[in-house]
Structures are given as structure tokens and as C-alpha cells.
Amino acid sequence: MTIEVKNIVKKFGAFAALDNVDLKVGKGELLALLGPSGSGKTTLLRIIAGLDWPDAGEVRIDGEDALGHGASERHVGFVFQHYALFRHMTVFENVAFGLRVQPRAVRKDEATIRARVKELLDLVQLDWLANRYPSQLSGGQRQRIALARALAIEPRILLLDEPFGALDAKVRKELRQWLRSLHSEIHVTSIFVTHDQEEALEVANQVVVMDKGRIEQIGTPGDVYDNPATAFVHGFIGESIVLPVEVAGGSVRLGDRPLNIAADGAASGASKLFVRRHDMQIGPAGTGSLEGAVRHVRSFGPIQRAEVALSGGEGKMVIEIDAPRDRELQAGEIISLQPRRYRIFAAQD
Amino acid sequence: MSTQTSFVTPATPLRTYASTADLAISSPSARRASDRARAVAVSKDLRSEPGPIRFIIIALAISFLTIFVVLPLVVVFASAFSKGISAYFAALAEPEALSAIRLTLLVAAISVGLNLLFGVIAAWAIAKFDFRGKTFLITLIDLPFSVSPVISGLVFVLLFGAQGYWGTWLQAHNIHILFALPGIALATIFVTFPFVARSLIPLMQEQGTQEEEAAISLGASGLQTFFRVTLPNIKWGLLYGVLLCNARAMGEFGAVSVVSGHIRGETNTMPLLVEILYNEYQFVASFAIASLLAMLALITLVVKTVLEQRLDEGQMPRDESK
């Protein structure tokens, strides 16, 4: 099923939680809404589900106007950050809830409901917990039961609000992979909200980066990482080195030091140079456009992370770079740096 | 006991650091356990009073309770049965007594029923919605607690009495509120209003609206959501409030006394009858009725203890889930 959101505006008092948001989600996609807290991503999700109402705009699910229907009529599966399992019901009854509250005319008989719940519990691999209460489950188990409960109503779309936010790192990692494989198995159009970029890049096949109620960029994980559309996206996704530079007539200067890079059409004036930590080419002193002294080096896994104090420019600038292990760095060594890949954005904010 | 704790304290960290794999998982809980052990040891040192002082304090508390709570209760029952069991039951079988019991039960049923409804609605509004004047509403709910019951009764006299605002109109239409069942019920409802709302508001506020939202997104209607999700979650708190509301409704004296008019066999509730009989030196009859109220108090106490345990049990998984 497709989801279409047009010109959505939502204000809480004077604060605009969503400011003219447009979004299209294709059939079978697994899309991540990524942004810092307060960026409006959860509000957008709740509006699609019918748990919040926009001040203006349109929501269409499968071409049909969703704002004409309340949440209970939208057939949307919603998974809450804190699970929201019914605490007085067993796991089995939790999953069966959506089937039991159907209007009598379409309600399945008891045997069908039991079979369906069993099937769903098998799908989330927790059939052995059917008679437990939510308080007796671990966080990861609760989240999977919440997902099974949402899937019970055969939702047209599946919405997940920070699904792994309340879990510890290890469980979170497992559940991510599990969600991916589950999605490729059942293929329901899904949107999940997260503030964790790693989660978004790893799980989703489309990422929507949001900030301050606006969409900054929509693209594949590779897209938003390699070709960030705005300074915000570059800073938010992946670790970046940010240098305040001056662009003048196609040349770029850091303080009084000209950098040997093209301005790439960036407008003249105060700007910001964004470089990924691993996109700094390291050479012997005097070979690159930046120079600095290595302050100290930490090595782990395939990389060594070095803190470098840049010389030149006003004030002391210390940046962190990632170098491969085969180029051994020493504390106190003077090295030169040359950005391999970089982006320049106007420095208005 | 104290020697045992001092053994535990150093041993736990040793075991923890023995295997590094365990470290991340077991060390916080182990440390908490050893902290607790240490805390127990410390607090024991600080709190252990000399034996005699401990004895005196406990004895004081017990004798105080005996004199002010147990003794009166015993006296009530002793006086009620002072002329024998048959006199006791004869007193209860008097038409006046039966009428008072009937009226009390009726008034309690009406006021508990209505306050159940009002209380759930008020608690629902306060806990689940945000609106202007919410704090004011919460304060207003507490008003009956802070006003003397006599004033509460007087308010209704001022409203519905012959010289009151609506008195002449009511008289013209032959509607009896004061010195009749409606007046007694109104005064009782006013006095007992806070119980249900008060016991539900914190519970519902803590539970939030997520479970309701989940139910609605699963296709449940408003009524289904209330009866299948909200009500089961608040049932123990609701029963607790109803219990206290009922105890107060049956025992209310001041407010009811003002509006009842003391018409014998008609508008006397049990507490009012106790006073009247006592003033007429009918001690057995007076204490027989009083013993019924005392029994109500005892039953209320037991049920309240059970409900409080249930509420605590209900609370535990909630705390865990956070």
C-alpha cells in the first residue's frame, strides 16, 4: 500500500511541529524517519496513524483520504516505543485483541482467531510465551509481541515509533536484523521513526531526514550518507569534520591559508567545509593544503583515530581523523591533510 | 546478623571481578546488593535503641491505640449486648431502626452509584486530557474534604429551603428536596464526591493513554476501549474508592443532620438514629445500631487492606516496565 502526505502543517501553540511536509512512500518500502528529538518525526507518524490530527494538509493511504477516518478505521498497525501492551492480558490475548474487537459481522470464530494468533506468535518466535503476562517478559520480547499484535489485524501499513529506543544496545542490534528479515518476509509498507542514524541506515531502504518540522532529504541510505543535501544532513549523519572557511571567487581559504580544493560552485562568503573523518588524505608535512600536529592516537579495529591540532588559521583548531592502520601515526608527528571528498555549505546557521 | 553482613560485603566484589565476562552483567546488581547489605548494617547501628527505650515507645503506641480505638469499639459491642442477645435483635427489628437501615442503604446506593459515574468521568477528564482550568478542577474536587460537613448541608438548605433561592419555586411545584430523600442523597453525594475521583486520578495519570491508543489503532471502538482496556486497568483503584465512598456515605452525620429534618421513621439515617436513641436513654437500641456501623467499619478495614495489596501488585509490573 502506498502512503502519500501532502503539505502537512501541525502546530502546538506557536511551535510548528510540522511545517509543510510532503512525503510519498511506495508499496512495500521500509522507510525510516530520522531526526533529532523535536524534529517532528513522531508527530508525522501519529498523524498518519490517526492518533494526531494535522492543522492543514492531506494524508492518503492507498490513494484514499485517510483524514476522513479515525484511527480505528484506518487499518494501520502501530507499534509504540514503550510497547503499550495491555498489562492485564496474557500475551495471547494481547495479540488476539485486534481480532476480538472486530464488528460481529466480520469477526472470525474462536478457532480461526486461535490459529491466527498461534501463527503470529510463531512468526515472532515467541509462541512459548503465550500464557505469560507482559510484566513477565524482557523488553525485546515485549517489542516483538507488540509487533505481532499490530500485525494481527493485517494492517495496510505498519508504523513503528522508535521501536528499539527503550532496549539495550545488544538486543537492539538483534531486533534490527530481525525486523529487516521480517519485512522481506511479509512485505508490508512500513515506516519507522528513529533518532539513531545507524539504525536508519542499517534497516531502511529509504531514509527521510527531518529537522525542525521540515524534511531535509529523502534518499537511500547510501544517498544520504554520500550525498548529503544540506549542512544539517551532513552533520547529523555520519561523523564529520566541520571547518569554517571563506569562499571567494572559486577558491577556498581557511583563515589565511588557501586550500587546494575547488569551491564546487559554492557561493562566495563565509561557509562551512564538511569532510568525513576518513576522507582526509594523510601525507608527509608540506604535501597537502592543511597541516597539523598529531596530539594522540587511539587504535581499535581496522582504524586509528587521531586528534590533530591544525596549524595556521586563527585560534587552535583540533579535529579528529580516521586513518587506516597501515599508515602508522605517532603522537607529535607533523602531517599534512588533504580533503579527498568534501562538501561546502553556506554558513548561515 | 551483623557478622553475616560484614562477610558478604567484601566477598561479592571478589566474585564479580573473578571473571571478566560476568563483569558487565553481574557487577551493577552485585554492587547494589552489597550496598544494600552495607546500608542495613549502618542503619542497624544507627537505629538500635537501648532495649528499655524501644519497649517504652512500642508500649506507648499500643496503649494509645487501645484507649482511643479498641476500647470504644469494645464498649459499643458490650453496651449493645448488655441486655442480652434477644434485646439486641429486638432493638434492630424496631420499625424505626429498620426504616433507618433501609434509608441508609438507599442513600449509600444512590450516592455511591452517582459518584462512581462522576468520579470516573472527572478522573478521566483530568488524567487523559489537557485543558484550561484543569488545576482549578482538581482543587474543586477536593473542596468537600476541606469544608465542614455542616456547611455542606447548610448549602443545600440555602438553595432548596423555604427561604432559599429556589424554595418558593419548589414549593409551588410541590417538589420536596429538603427534609426528604433527595436532600439527604444530595448532601451525601457532595460529601463523598472526592473519594472515587481521588483514588483514580493518580492511577490514571500514571498509566497514560498509550494502551488506549493501542486499542484504538487495533480497531476497537470507544466503548470497547473503555471496557476492555481502561476499566480492567483501574478496577482495583475504583473498588478502593467505592469502598471508602460507601463507608463515608453510610456514616455521614453532619451534612445529613442539617438537611434531614429528623422525621422519625422517614428521614433518619442510622447515624442520626443512634444520636436520637442515645438522647432518649435507649442505650441498647442506640448501641445496637452503632454496632452495625462499627461492623461496617471493620469490614471496610479488612477489604481496604486486601485492595491495597492488589493495588500494589498491580503497580509492580508497571514500575518494572519503565
Side-chain angles (χ1 to χ4, degrees):
Chain A
M1 305 283 165
T2 58
I3 306 168
E4 219 176 315
V5 169
K6 277 187 203 154
N7 306 322
I8 289 284
V9 176
K10 173 75 182 174
K11 289 197 166 83
F12 294 113
F15 170 74
L18 291 173
D19 188 5
N20 237 339
V21 169
D22 278 291
L23 180 63
K24 268 187 188 174
V25 187
K27 192 170 184 297
E29 264 185 44
L30 177 54
L31 180 135
L33 289 177
L34 173 65
S37 54
S39 58
K41 52 198 192 312
T42 294
T43 307
L44 180 57
L45 198 74
R46 289 175 60 87
I47 286 175
I48 296 172
L51 297 172
D52 260 329
W53 233 252
D55 296 327
E58 251 182 84
V59 177
R60 294 188 170 276
I61 298 175
D62 219 21
E64 178 195 305
D65 177 25
L67 293 181
H69 300 286
S72 60
E73 296 159 354
R74 287 197 197 174
H75 273 276
V76 168
F78 200 97
V79 177
F80 293 82
Q81 182 180 2
H82 296 289
Y83 328 116
L85 293 176
F86 305 128
R87 67 193 98 198
H88 62 285
M89 294 183 201
T90 60
V91 162
F92 185 94
E93 285 304 320
N94 262 284
V95 178
F97 185 87
L99 303 170
R100 292 203 196 282
V101 296
Q102 280 181 330
R104 195 153 298 165
V106 292
R107 198 186 303 157
K108 315 273 193 303
D109 60 87
E110 184 64 23
T112 317
I113 291 179
R114 295 203 153 264
R116 175 86 182 121
V117 173
K118 171 94 180 49
E119 196 182 302
L120 283 160
L121 288 176
D122 282 340
L123 181 72
V124 298
Q125 298 151 8
L126 290 176
D127 49 317
W128 51 284
L129 289 176
N131 295 319
R132 301 273 187 89
Y133 282 89
S135 58
Q136 297 167 306
L137 310 185
S138 72
Q141 289 168 339
R142 283 181 212 179
Q143 194 56 283
R144 283 194 277 169
I145 295 301
L147 194 56
R149 182 178 68 175
L151 291 174
I153 58 169
E154 289 172 49
R156 297 189 292 176
I157 54 176
L158 185 62
L159 306 174
L160 305 100
D161 184 12
E162 302 256 2
F164 315 126
L167 302 169
D168 60 64
K170 188 159 172 279
V171 180
R172 198 184 302 186
K173 206 132 196 165
E174 284 168 16
L175 274 187
R176 271 186 216 162
Q177 288 162 0
W178 178 79
L179 179 66
R180 258 197 90 91
S181 58
L182 183 79
H183 181 261
S184 57
E185 207 173 310
I186 58 176
H187 247 90
V188 55
T189 309
S190 310
I191 303 182
F192 72 98
V193 158
T194 179
H195 61 259
D196 180 348
Q197 42 150 320
E198 204 183 313
E199 196 166 289
L201 300 181
E202 218 174 273
V203 178
N205 47 35
Q206 281 285 314
V207 177
V208 175
V209 187
M210 293 186 68
D211 183 41
K212 295 183 185 132
R214 292 173 162 278
I215 290 179
E216 294 274 324
Q217 189 174 3
I218 304 175
T220 62
D223 256 354
V224 293
Y225 188 89
D226 291 331
N227 302 306
T230 66
F232 173 80
V233 176
H234 206 309
F236 189 70
I237 294 181
E239 309 259 19
S240 300
I241 299 163
V242 187
L243 294 172
V245 292
E246 189 76 30
V247 177
S251 70
V252 184
R253 278 184 303 128
L254 174 69
D256 48 10
R257 195 181 184 94
L259 301 182
N260 188 18
I261 57 178
D264 280 346
S268 294
S271 304
K272 279 180 177 170
L273 173 70
F274 284 80
V275 189
R276 299 277 183 217
R277 278 177 178 170
H278 52 83
D279 280 337
M280 277 290 191
Q281 174 87 45
I282 299 165
T287 59
S289 43
L290 287 165
E291 220 166 63
V294 177
R295 296 231 297 208
H296 57 83
V297 184
R298 281 169 295 151
S299 299
F300 43 84
I303 59 161
Q304 47 184 337
R305 180 158 295 167
E307 223 176 82
V308 180
L310 294 181
S311 48
E314 63 262 36
K316 269 247 153 84
M317 262 180 294
V318 178
I319 60 171
E320 277 197 331
I321 59 165
D322 287 346
R325 289 293 282 271
D326 51 14
R327 168 68 170 87
E328 200 76 34
L329 289 173
Q330 304 289 336
E333 189 183 349
I334 305 289
I335 54 170
S336 80
L337 297 167
Q338 180 67 35
R340 247 191 311 245
R341 293 168 55 98
Y342 57 90
R343 294 291 297 257
I344 299 169
F345 294 102
Q348 75 267 46
D349 45 11
Chain B
M1 190 56 206
S2 62
T3 45
Q4 229 173 343
T5 31
S6 63
F7 267 116
V8 170
T9 317
T12 322
L14 276 182
R15 206 189 309 131
T16 310
Y17 292 121
S19 84
T20 36
D22 268 8
L23 189 67
I25 304 157
S26 68
S27 107
S29 64
R31 205 176 306 135
R32 228 177 294 131
S34 71
D35 276 355
R36 217 180 299 130
R38 210 173 298 130
V40 167
V42 168
S43 67
K44 269 214 145 179
D45 291 341
L46 283 178
R47 267 204 295 180
S48 65
E49 307 288 348
I53 294 183
R54 224 184 302 169
F55 176 78
I56 291 173
I57 293 175
I58 294 171
L60 269 177
I62 289 177
S63 49
F64 186 86
L65 276 175
T66 311
I67 294 169
F68 287 94
V69 178
V70 180
L71 213 58
L73 214 57
V74 172
V75 169
V76 167
F77 284 97
S79 309
F81 288 103
S82 62
K83 297 256 169 69
I85 292 178
S86 54
Y88 175 81
F89 284 109
L92 290 183
E94 284 285 318
E96 246 179 64
L98 287 178
S99 137
I101 293 170
R102 213 177 301 125
L103 181 64
T104 302
L105 290 177
L106 186 60
V107 168
I110 293 172
S111 50
V112 168
L114 287 177
N115 274 340
L116 183 69
L117 196 66
F118 296 157
V120 170
I121 291 171
W124 183 285
I126 285 166
K128 313 258 168 175
F129 306 125
D130 275 319
F131 53 91
R132 227 179 266 254
K134 189 161 141 173
T135 335
F136 180 65
L137 187 62
I138 296 174
T139 318
L140 216 57
I141 285 176
D142 279 343
L143 185 72
F145 275 170
S146 50
V147 169
S148 157
V150 177
I151 310 287
S152 311
L154 212 55
V155 169
F156 291 100
V157 175
L158 290 177
L159 283 178
F160 303 119
Q163 274 80 45
Y165 289 107
W166 300 323
T168 37
W169 187 88
L170 288 170
Q171 248 168 356
H173 290 79
N174 203 19
I175 300 171
H176 300 287
I177 291 184
L178 228 49
F179 310 142
L181 177 66
I184 299 172
L186 277 174
T188 310
I189 289 170
F190 181 83
V191 172
T192 56
F193 179 73
F195 287 104
V196 174
R198 266 284 142 196
S199 60
L200 287 186
I201 290 168
L203 195 65
M204 287 172 101
Q205 269 175 337
E206 201 218 319
Q207 290 179 348
T209 49
Q210 282 224 321
E211 283 183 47
E212 278 84 4
E213 284 183 347
I216 287 167
S217 80
L218 289 168
S221 68
L223 276 182
Q224 282 174 323
T225 304
F226 180 76
F227 283 108
R228 286 171 183 251
V229 177
T230 309
L231 200 57
N233 276 342
I234 60 169
K235 65 180 174 210
W236 296 120
L238 194 63
L239 272 177
Y240 184 78
V242 163
L243 181 80
L244 296 184
C245 180
N246 179 59
R248 181 68 190 269
M250 289 192 175
E252 178 55 30
F253 181 85
V256 171
S257 176
V258 176
V259 297
S260 119
H262 306 278
I263 305 170
R264 303 198 86 151
E266 270 185 52
T267 64
N268 274 337
T269 59
M270 285 161 73
L272 298 185
L273 190 62
V274 170
E275 199 215 12
I276 291 172
L277 292 173
Y278 184 82
N279 287 341
E280 293 173 351
Y281 304 105
Q282 303 189 43
F283 294 125
V284 170
S286 166
F287 280 106
I289 308 276
S291 74
L292 291 184
L293 288 171
M295 233 127 52
L296 169 76
L298 290 176
I299 294 169
T300 303
L301 211 62
V302 172
V303 180
K304 179 171 166 274
T305 314
V306 173
L307 283 180
E308 270 168 0
Q309 270 168 6
R310 289 294 184 132
L311 269 172
D312 280 350
E313 278 164 29
Q315 220 105 33
M316 254 166 348
R318 255 202 306 285
D319 291 342
E320 215 177 280
S321 72
K322 271 180 187 163

